[in-house]
Amino acid sequence: MTTTYELINKVILTGSQASITFNSIPSTYTDLQILSSGRTDKNSTQNNPLISFNGSTSNFSYKFMTGNGASASSSSGSSNPINDVNASTSTTNTFTNYQIYIPNYTNSNYKSFSIDSAQERNDTTAYLELWAMLWSYNAAITSITLNSDANWVSGSSFYLYGIKNN
Amino acid sequence: MIGTLATGALSIPTPPITSSFYSIASVSVASGGISSITFNSIPTDYKHLQLRLFIKAAATTNGTPTIVYNGDTSSVYTYHELQGNGASASAYSPGANYGGQWYVLGGQSADQYAAYITDILDYASTSKNKTIRTLMGFDNNGSGRVYLASQTYQNASTAITSLTLTMQSGNASEFSHAALYGIKD
Amino acid sequence: MASVTYEPIATTTLTGNAKNISFTSIPSTYTDLIIIMNYSINQPSSCWVRFNGNSATNYSFTELRGNGSSAYSTRGSNQTSSYFAFNVFPDTTPGNSIMNILNYSNTNTNKTFLTRTNAITGSYPGTAAYVGLWRQTAAINEITINMDGDAAYYYLSGSTFTIYGVKAS
């Protein structure tokens, strides 16, 4: 029985962990979606985790737009950071709500994907972000790693869904 | 051949059965409108909620309705927005410990409804504040705004079991629609 | 039998280049439509959508965009189609757009839709959110995806376009 929108795997942390990885991603879906509620223990109010595909941290580039509660701006780069997430000195018990959407993750072209992110704090300053990202590599994506650049804390959750177009 | 319908097969899939994305409940606003919409008794066996709103304020000026969770109207909320108004991009927050989320509606024309897609991840957690992310906007053919917005409901120990949208001025118009979906693991 | 909440309605992957893609006979039985587009184009342009073949000036949009240097907003009014990727263009490297059309089959309201578009490369790259309006109350039963320019502008082979239906209870 085929399904359109289904969970492939999940990671829900009960302790700290530097990174999480979804391995052996089946090629039977069309798109991938990660829904994550994440927080790190980096000594800051927020930090940028790092994404890798198939164990590679290379060939990533991005353009993003952010609002910090007071002003909007945009930036770009050629590396693999992703959205700002809550870190250790941000509001207690508050985790960043973000979605990573990767269409056509198995095709033999470069991979264009998006991130929509809400990092909240009990403060005027918090970061809303829209990201466009590119992995300039032709291989199908078979694994995804989100490296916290510190440790993901207990309670951080990561759900990988597959969406199928037929 | 350029200029014709797409080359390549246009396939009509055999409808599959979804396994993770479920409809929980929906409200269609009838004639006369309604001042508030509530989803009660939200089951806690999903992992995430998605609220999809198509809504217009009956008032002739833009309204700022609020959404509260579990009937909690105390100052336990935060709100942030990243906005485009057709002329400039901006960001705003009213600051800490606010009461209720702001959704901005377009009510200046008879037929313009605003659209909202709200994602609440880990809504049933009893150890995390609830962070809510919304893509929303309205366009009035010469005016309008599009937003990415967020909110925190600062209640880590309680799952979200209800949400209430309340119009600050008048009613939500007939044909407004609210649909709540659950995403399972 | 389990109810179907989220399902594909139609999909196409271009096996040759094409300037436009049409989805017809869209059933009215869903609540919302979601169009997932992953595409490359041969030269800078702007992509747009048109409903039910309506080419009158019934379309408008408001855009929020970051191009990697600045965040800004634009709008278009009284247009013959609705841009979902306005001067945000990929080249042969793919970009993507996700369009949500809420209450597409309601025959009492105009149609409002939200789109996220992303393109890293090309002449006008960036990430954007759009709200679009089609000022017609007809149910949407046909969607045409096209772009500005003459026949020399087209989507490249391998581009994919899928419509999903989401059904509320």
Side-chain angles (χ1 to χ4, degrees), chain B residues 4-35:
Chain B
T4 64
L5 293 176
T7 55
L10 176 67
S11 70
I12 311 299
T14 301
I17 305 298
T18 57
S19 69
S20 294
F21 197 97
Y22 295 86
S23 175
I24 297 175
S26 65
V27 173
S28 296
V29 179
S31 174
I34 194 169
S35 62

PDB file of all heavy atoms in Angstrom, chain B residues 4-35:
ATOM      1  N   THR B   4       4.124  24.446 -26.223  1.00  0.00           N
ATOM      2  CA  THR B   4       2.957  23.591 -26.094  1.00  0.00           C
ATOM      3  C   THR B   4       2.878  23.085 -24.664  1.00  0.00           C
ATOM      4  O   THR B   4       3.666  23.482 -23.806  1.00  0.00           O
ATOM      5  CB  THR B   4       3.045  22.406 -27.051  1.00  0.00           C
ATOM      6  OG1 THR B   4       4.166  21.610 -26.671  1.00  0.00           O
ATOM      7  CG2 THR B   4       3.221  22.884 -28.485  1.00  0.00           C
ATOM      8  N   LEU B   5       1.945  22.249 -24.448  1.00  0.00           N
ATOM      9  CA  LEU B   5       1.870  21.627 -23.134  1.00  0.00           C
ATOM     10  C   LEU B   5       3.158  20.867 -22.866  1.00  0.00           C
ATOM     11  O   LEU B   5       3.883  20.498 -23.762  1.00  0.00           O
ATOM     12  CB  LEU B   5       0.684  20.672 -23.071  1.00  0.00           C
ATOM     13  CG  LEU B   5      -0.686  21.341 -23.147  1.00  0.00           C
ATOM     14  CD1 LEU B   5      -1.783  20.306 -23.172  1.00  0.00           C
ATOM     15  CD2 LEU B   5      -0.883  22.296 -21.977  1.00  0.00           C
ATOM     16  N   ALA B   6       3.376  20.648 -21.607  1.00  0.00           N
ATOM     17  CA  ALA B   6       4.618  20.031 -21.193  1.00  0.00           C
ATOM     18  C   ALA B   6       4.846  18.720 -21.907  1.00  0.00           C
ATOM     19  O   ALA B   6       3.945  17.913 -22.062  1.00  0.00           O
ATOM     20  CB  ALA B   6       4.594  19.800 -19.690  1.00  0.00           C
ATOM     21  N   THR B   7       6.064  18.517 -22.315  1.00  0.00           N
ATOM     22  CA  THR B   7       6.429  17.200 -22.806  1.00  0.00           C
ATOM     23  C   THR B   7       6.726  16.312 -21.615  1.00  0.00           C
ATOM     24  O   THR B   7       6.963  16.770 -20.507  1.00  0.00           O
ATOM     25  CB  THR B   7       7.672  17.277 -23.699  1.00  0.00           C
ATOM     26  OG1 THR B   7       8.718  17.931 -22.946  1.00  0.00           O
ATOM     27  CG2 THR B   7       7.372  18.089 -24.944  1.00  0.00           C
ATOM     28  N   GLY B   8       6.680  15.041 -21.875  1.00  0.00           N
ATOM     29  CA  GLY B   8       6.833  14.125 -20.754  1.00  0.00           C
ATOM     30  C   GLY B   8       5.472  13.710 -20.269  1.00  0.00           C
ATOM     31  O   GLY B   8       4.465  14.372 -20.482  1.00  0.00           O
ATOM     32  N   ALA B   9       5.439  12.601 -19.631  1.00  0.00           N
ATOM     33  CA  ALA B   9       4.169  12.036 -19.225  1.00  0.00           C
ATOM     34  C   ALA B   9       3.563  12.834 -18.084  1.00  0.00           C
ATOM     35  O   ALA B   9       4.225  13.158 -17.105  1.00  0.00           O
ATOM     36  CB  ALA B   9       4.361  10.595 -18.809  1.00  0.00           C
ATOM     37  N   LEU B  10       2.294  13.164 -18.237  1.00  0.00           N
ATOM     38  CA  LEU B  10       1.526  13.742 -17.149  1.00  0.00           C
ATOM     39  C   LEU B  10       0.785  12.588 -16.523  1.00  0.00           C
ATOM     40  O   LEU B  10      -0.098  12.008 -17.137  1.00  0.00           O
ATOM     41  CB  LEU B  10       0.547  14.794 -17.676  1.00  0.00           C
ATOM     42  CG  LEU B  10      -0.393  15.400 -16.637  1.00  0.00           C
ATOM     43  CD1 LEU B  10       0.391  16.225 -15.633  1.00  0.00           C
ATOM     44  CD2 LEU B  10      -1.432  16.278 -17.302  1.00  0.00           C
ATOM     45  N   SER B  11       1.181  12.209 -15.371  1.00  0.00           N
ATOM     46  CA  SER B  11       0.598  11.016 -14.787  1.00  0.00           C
ATOM     47  C   SER B  11      -0.422  11.384 -13.733  1.00  0.00           C
ATOM     48  O   SER B  11      -0.258  12.355 -12.997  1.00  0.00           O
ATOM     49  CB  SER B  11       1.695  10.142 -14.178  1.00  0.00           C
ATOM     50  OG  SER B  11       2.231  10.751 -13.033  1.00  0.00           O
ATOM     51  N   ILE B  12      -1.465  10.611 -13.706  1.00  0.00           N
ATOM     52  CA  ILE B  12      -2.505  10.766 -12.703  1.00  0.00           C
ATOM     53  C   ILE B  12      -2.327   9.627 -11.720  1.00  0.00           C
ATOM     54  O   ILE B  12      -2.619   8.471 -12.031  1.00  0.00           O
ATOM     55  CB  ILE B  12      -3.903  10.708 -13.346  1.00  0.00           C
ATOM     56  CG1 ILE B  12      -3.969  11.639 -14.563  1.00  0.00           C
ATOM     57  CG2 ILE B  12      -4.961  11.026 -12.310  1.00  0.00           C
ATOM     58  CD1 ILE B  12      -3.729  13.092 -14.248  1.00  0.00           C
ATOM     59  N   PRO B  13      -1.815   9.894 -10.559  1.00  0.00           N
ATOM     60  CA  PRO B  13      -1.467   8.811  -9.638  1.00  0.00           C
ATOM     61  C   PRO B  13      -2.688   8.081  -9.117  1.00  0.00           C
ATOM     62  O   PRO B  13      -3.770   8.640  -9.011  1.00  0.00           O
ATOM     63  CB  PRO B  13      -0.748   9.525  -8.502  1.00  0.00           C
ATOM     64  CG  PRO B  13      -0.425  10.888  -9.033  1.00  0.00           C
ATOM     65  CD  PRO B  13      -1.470  11.197 -10.035  1.00  0.00           C
ATOM     66  N   THR B  14      -2.503   6.840  -8.781  1.00  0.00           N
ATOM     67  CA  THR B  14      -3.524   6.111  -8.043  1.00  0.00           C
ATOM     68  C   THR B  14      -3.515   6.622  -6.609  1.00  0.00           C
ATOM     69  O   THR B  14      -2.468   6.651  -5.973  1.00  0.00           O
ATOM     70  CB  THR B  14      -3.209   4.607  -8.037  1.00  0.00           C
ATOM     71  OG1 THR B  14      -3.168   4.167  -9.388  1.00  0.00           O
ATOM     72  CG2 THR B  14      -4.268   3.836  -7.261  1.00  0.00           C
ATOM     73  N   PRO B  15      -4.660   7.092  -6.107  1.00  0.00           N
ATOM     74  CA  PRO B  15      -4.657   7.692  -4.767  1.00  0.00           C
ATOM     75  C   PRO B  15      -4.139   6.739  -3.714  1.00  0.00           C
ATOM     76  O   PRO B  15      -4.665   5.631  -3.577  1.00  0.00           O
ATOM     77  CB  PRO B  15      -6.136   8.019  -4.531  1.00  0.00           C
ATOM     78  CG  PRO B  15      -6.711   8.126  -5.896  1.00  0.00           C
ATOM     79  CD  PRO B  15      -5.984   7.139  -6.734  1.00  0.00           C
ATOM     80  N   PRO B  16      -3.104   7.114  -3.027  1.00  0.00           N
ATOM     81  CA  PRO B  16      -2.579   6.276  -1.961  1.00  0.00           C
ATOM     82  C   PRO B  16      -3.289   6.594  -0.651  1.00  0.00           C
ATOM     83  O   PRO B  16      -4.122   7.481  -0.596  1.00  0.00           O
ATOM     84  CB  PRO B  16      -1.114   6.681  -1.887  1.00  0.00           C
ATOM     85  CG  PRO B  16      -1.149   8.128  -2.242  1.00  0.00           C
ATOM     86  CD  PRO B  16      -2.305   8.313  -3.205  1.00  0.00           C
ATOM     87  N   ILE B  17      -2.933   5.897   0.365  1.00  0.00           N
ATOM     88  CA  ILE B  17      -3.462   6.172   1.688  1.00  0.00           C
ATOM     89  C   ILE B  17      -2.370   6.864   2.481  1.00  0.00           C
ATOM     90  O   ILE B  17      -1.277   6.359   2.623  1.00  0.00           O
ATOM     91  CB  ILE B  17      -3.878   4.861   2.399  1.00  0.00           C
ATOM     92  CG1 ILE B  17      -4.863   4.091   1.535  1.00  0.00           C
ATOM     93  CG2 ILE B  17      -4.446   5.165   3.765  1.00  0.00           C
ATOM     94  CD1 ILE B  17      -6.154   4.833   1.266  1.00  0.00           C
ATOM     95  N   THR B  18      -2.656   8.063   3.008  1.00  0.00           N
ATOM     96  CA  THR B  18      -1.662   8.777   3.793  1.00  0.00           C
ATOM     97  C   THR B  18      -1.503   8.089   5.118  1.00  0.00           C
ATOM     98  O   THR B  18      -2.442   7.505   5.654  1.00  0.00           O
ATOM     99  CB  THR B  18      -2.087  10.223   4.016  1.00  0.00           C
ATOM    100  OG1 THR B  18      -3.352  10.239   4.651  1.00  0.00           O
ATOM    101  CG2 THR B  18      -2.183  10.949   2.701  1.00  0.00           C
ATOM    102  N   SER B  19      -0.317   8.201   5.681  1.00  0.00           N
ATOM    103  CA  SER B  19      -0.123   7.545   6.957  1.00  0.00           C
ATOM    104  C   SER B  19       0.297   8.497   8.049  1.00  0.00           C
ATOM    105  O   SER B  19       0.251   8.109   9.208  1.00  0.00           O
ATOM    106  CB  SER B  19       0.921   6.440   6.815  1.00  0.00           C
ATOM    107  OG  SER B  19       2.194   7.014   6.589  1.00  0.00           O
ATOM    108  N   SER B  20       0.751   9.720   7.743  1.00  0.00           N
ATOM    109  CA  SER B  20       1.230  10.616   8.784  1.00  0.00           C
ATOM    110  C   SER B  20       0.489  11.935   8.856  1.00  0.00           C
ATOM    111  O   SER B  20       0.662  12.657   9.831  1.00  0.00           O
ATOM    112  CB  SER B  20       2.726  10.898   8.607  1.00  0.00           C
ATOM    113  OG  SER B  20       3.492   9.738   8.814  1.00  0.00           O
ATOM    114  N   PHE B  21      -0.267  12.287   7.884  1.00  0.00           N
ATOM    115  CA  PHE B  21      -0.915  13.589   7.826  1.00  0.00           C
ATOM    116  C   PHE B  21      -2.416  13.383   7.892  1.00  0.00           C
ATOM    117  O   PHE B  21      -2.998  12.760   7.008  1.00  0.00           O
ATOM    118  CB  PHE B  21      -0.511  14.296   6.525  1.00  0.00           C
ATOM    119  CG  PHE B  21      -0.774  15.770   6.509  1.00  0.00           C
ATOM    120  CD1 PHE B  21       0.228  16.670   6.810  1.00  0.00           C
ATOM    121  CD2 PHE B  21      -2.019  16.268   6.156  1.00  0.00           C
ATOM    122  CE1 PHE B  21       0.000  18.043   6.773  1.00  0.00           C
ATOM    123  CE2 PHE B  21      -2.256  17.640   6.114  1.00  0.00           C
ATOM    124  CZ  PHE B  21      -1.242  18.528   6.434  1.00  0.00           C
ATOM    125  N   TYR B  22      -3.042  13.890   8.936  1.00  0.00           N
ATOM    126  CA  TYR B  22      -4.451  13.605   9.203  1.00  0.00           C
ATOM    127  C   TYR B  22      -5.238  14.897   9.423  1.00  0.00           C
ATOM    128  O   TYR B  22      -4.733  15.847  10.018  1.00  0.00           O
ATOM    129  CB  TYR B  22      -4.594  12.735  10.452  1.00  0.00           C
ATOM    130  CG  TYR B  22      -4.012  11.359  10.307  1.00  0.00           C
ATOM    131  CD1 TYR B  22      -2.672  11.123  10.569  1.00  0.00           C
ATOM    132  CD2 TYR B  22      -4.804  10.286   9.891  1.00  0.00           C
ATOM    133  CE1 TYR B  22      -2.121   9.863  10.428  1.00  0.00           C
ATOM    134  CE2 TYR B  22      -4.257   9.017   9.752  1.00  0.00           C
ATOM    135  CZ  TYR B  22      -2.914   8.817  10.017  1.00  0.00           C
ATOM    136  OH  TYR B  22      -2.375   7.564   9.872  1.00  0.00           O
ATOM    137  N   SER B  23      -6.478  14.865   9.001  1.00  0.00           N
ATOM    138  CA  SER B  23      -7.388  15.951   9.326  1.00  0.00           C
ATOM    139  C   SER B  23      -7.992  15.687  10.702  1.00  0.00           C
ATOM    140  O   SER B  23      -8.477  14.591  10.967  1.00  0.00           O
ATOM    141  CB  SER B  23      -8.493  16.047   8.283  1.00  0.00           C
ATOM    142  OG  SER B  23      -9.433  17.025   8.655  1.00  0.00           O
ATOM    143  N   ILE B  24      -7.949  16.699  11.577  1.00  0.00           N
ATOM    144  CA  ILE B  24      -8.533  16.555  12.904  1.00  0.00           C
ATOM    145  C   ILE B  24      -9.938  17.152  12.925  1.00  0.00           C
ATOM    146  O   ILE B  24     -10.896  16.493  13.348  1.00  0.00           O
ATOM    147  CB  ILE B  24      -7.652  17.240  13.976  1.00  0.00           C
ATOM    148  CG1 ILE B  24      -6.277  16.572  14.045  1.00  0.00           C
ATOM    149  CG2 ILE B  24      -8.341  17.228  15.336  1.00  0.00           C
ATOM    150  CD1 ILE B  24      -5.300  17.264  14.989  1.00  0.00           C
ATOM    151  N   ALA B  25     -10.069  18.390  12.480  1.00  0.00           N
ATOM    152  CA  ALA B  25     -11.368  19.062  12.498  1.00  0.00           C
ATOM    153  C   ALA B  25     -11.293  20.289  11.621  1.00  0.00           C
ATOM    154  O   ALA B  25     -10.210  20.790  11.306  1.00  0.00           O
ATOM    155  CB  ALA B  25     -11.752  19.466  13.920  1.00  0.00           C
ATOM    156  N   SER B  26     -12.460  20.795  11.230  1.00  0.00           N
ATOM    157  CA  SER B  26     -12.500  22.030  10.453  1.00  0.00           C
ATOM    158  C   SER B  26     -13.770  22.792  10.773  1.00  0.00           C
ATOM    159  O   SER B  26     -14.759  22.216  11.249  1.00  0.00           O
ATOM    160  CB  SER B  26     -12.405  21.745   8.952  1.00  0.00           C
ATOM    161  OG  SER B  26     -13.538  21.038   8.506  1.00  0.00           O
ATOM    162  N   VAL B  27     -13.714  24.104  10.517  1.00  0.00           N
ATOM    163  CA  VAL B  27     -14.847  24.986  10.738  1.00  0.00           C
ATOM    164  C   VAL B  27     -15.054  25.817   9.493  1.00  0.00           C
ATOM    165  O   VAL B  27     -14.112  26.463   9.011  1.00  0.00           O
ATOM    166  CB  VAL B  27     -14.598  25.920  11.947  1.00  0.00           C
ATOM    167  CG1 VAL B  27     -15.712  26.944  12.067  1.00  0.00           C
ATOM    168  CG2 VAL B  27     -14.451  25.121  13.228  1.00  0.00           C
ATOM    169  N   SER B  28     -16.253  25.809   8.960  1.00  0.00           N
ATOM    170  CA  SER B  28     -16.625  26.684   7.849  1.00  0.00           C
ATOM    171  C   SER B  28     -17.590  27.723   8.399  1.00  0.00           C
ATOM    172  O   SER B  28     -18.617  27.359   8.988  1.00  0.00           O
ATOM    173  CB  SER B  28     -17.293  25.879   6.739  1.00  0.00           C
ATOM    174  OG  SER B  28     -16.390  24.946   6.189  1.00  0.00           O
ATOM    175  N   VAL B  29     -17.261  28.975   8.237  1.00  0.00           N
ATOM    176  CA  VAL B  29     -18.068  30.036   8.830  1.00  0.00           C
ATOM    177  C   VAL B  29     -19.310  30.277   7.980  1.00  0.00           C
ATOM    178  O   VAL B  29     -19.228  30.487   6.768  1.00  0.00           O
ATOM    179  CB  VAL B  29     -17.246  31.318   8.968  1.00  0.00           C
ATOM    180  CG1 VAL B  29     -18.091  32.444   9.556  1.00  0.00           C
ATOM    181  CG2 VAL B  29     -16.029  31.066   9.852  1.00  0.00           C
ATOM    182  N   ALA B  30     -20.445  30.250   8.625  1.00  0.00           N
ATOM    183  CA  ALA B  30     -21.723  30.380   7.931  1.00  0.00           C
ATOM    184  C   ALA B  30     -22.155  31.839   7.846  1.00  0.00           C
ATOM    185  O   ALA B  30     -21.468  32.753   8.311  1.00  0.00           O
ATOM    186  CB  ALA B  30     -22.770  29.554   8.669  1.00  0.00           C
ATOM    187  N   SER B  31     -23.300  32.030   7.252  1.00  0.00           N
ATOM    188  CA  SER B  31     -23.856  33.364   7.095  1.00  0.00           C
ATOM    189  C   SER B  31     -23.975  34.060   8.440  1.00  0.00           C
ATOM    190  O   SER B  31     -24.372  33.445   9.427  1.00  0.00           O
ATOM    191  CB  SER B  31     -25.237  33.247   6.440  1.00  0.00           C
ATOM    192  OG  SER B  31     -25.874  34.501   6.383  1.00  0.00           O
ATOM    193  N   GLY B  32     -23.608  35.301   8.479  1.00  0.00           N
ATOM    194  CA  GLY B  32     -23.624  36.062   9.720  1.00  0.00           C
ATOM    195  C   GLY B  32     -22.258  36.166  10.353  1.00  0.00           C
ATOM    196  O   GLY B  32     -22.011  37.050  11.186  1.00  0.00           O
ATOM    197  N   GLY B  33     -21.369  35.279   9.987  1.00  0.00           N
ATOM    198  CA  GLY B  33     -20.017  35.330  10.525  1.00  0.00           C
ATOM    199  C   GLY B  33     -19.932  34.769  11.931  1.00  0.00           C
ATOM    200  O   GLY B  33     -20.896  34.262  12.495  1.00  0.00           O
ATOM    201  N   ILE B  34     -18.742  34.864  12.490  1.00  0.00           N
ATOM    202  CA  ILE B  34     -18.508  34.316  13.815  1.00  0.00           C
ATOM    203  C   ILE B  34     -17.397  35.109  14.490  1.00  0.00           C
ATOM    204  O   ILE B  34     -16.450  35.528  13.828  1.00  0.00           O
ATOM    205  CB  ILE B  34     -18.159  32.813  13.715  1.00  0.00           C
ATOM    206  CG1 ILE B  34     -18.240  32.122  15.058  1.00  0.00           C
ATOM    207  CG2 ILE B  34     -16.788  32.615  13.090  1.00  0.00           C
ATOM    208  CD1 ILE B  34     -18.164  30.603  14.957  1.00  0.00           C
ATOM    209  N   SER B  35     -17.529  35.328  15.772  1.00  0.00           N
ATOM    210  CA  SER B  35     -16.529  36.164  16.453  1.00  0.00           C
ATOM    211  C   SER B  35     -15.313  35.369  16.895  1.00  0.00           C
ATOM    212  O   SER B  35     -14.245  35.947  17.130  1.00  0.00           O
ATOM    213  CB  SER B  35     -17.145  36.853  17.668  1.00  0.00           C
ATOM    214  OG  SER B  35     -17.590  35.873  18.605  1.00  0.00           O
TER     215      SER B  35
END
